[in-house]
Amino acid sequence: MFGVLLVDDEIASIRYLRNLINSYSPAFNIVAECENGQDALAVLQQQAVDLLITDVKMPILDGVALAKEARS
């Protein structure tokens, strides 16, 4: 099973992605959902994930900066 972290400041987008993943991909487990990149970094410091799905434009820490931080 693959761990997934969903990051988006729009709740509707998170809900859509959660439903899509749960409906069509039983091999993926959503380990956390965050509303900004800073919260997502806190999750990543506590546990590793296999897949990070993030919005690009978000408050506090955007998706591009989050991806760079997550990679390092």
Side-chain angles (χ1 to χ4, degrees), residues 3-47:
V4 179
L5 173 57
L6 300 177
V7 187
D8 198 318
D9 58 326
E10 296 181 27
I11 301 302
S13 296
I14 291 281
R15 189 177 309 129
Y16 173 77
L17 289 168
R18 180 187 337 113
N19 290 338
L20 186 68
I21 290 169
N22 288 337
S23 296
Y24 295 105
S25 301
F28 292 92
N29 178 41
I30 298 171
V31 296
E33 300 171 0
C34 299
E35 293 182 7
N36 62 63
Q38 186 176 15
D39 292 345
L41 279 178
V43 169
L44 291 172
Q45 290 174 350
Q46 298 298 316
Q47 68 183 72

Side-chain angles (χ1 to χ4, degrees), residues 7 37 52 54-59 61-69:
V7 187
L52 170 63
T54 183
D55 187 10
V56 174
K57 292 186 178 183
M58 293 183 295
L61 184 66
D62 66 37
V64 175
L66 170 60
K68 288 179 183 176
E69 288 290 324

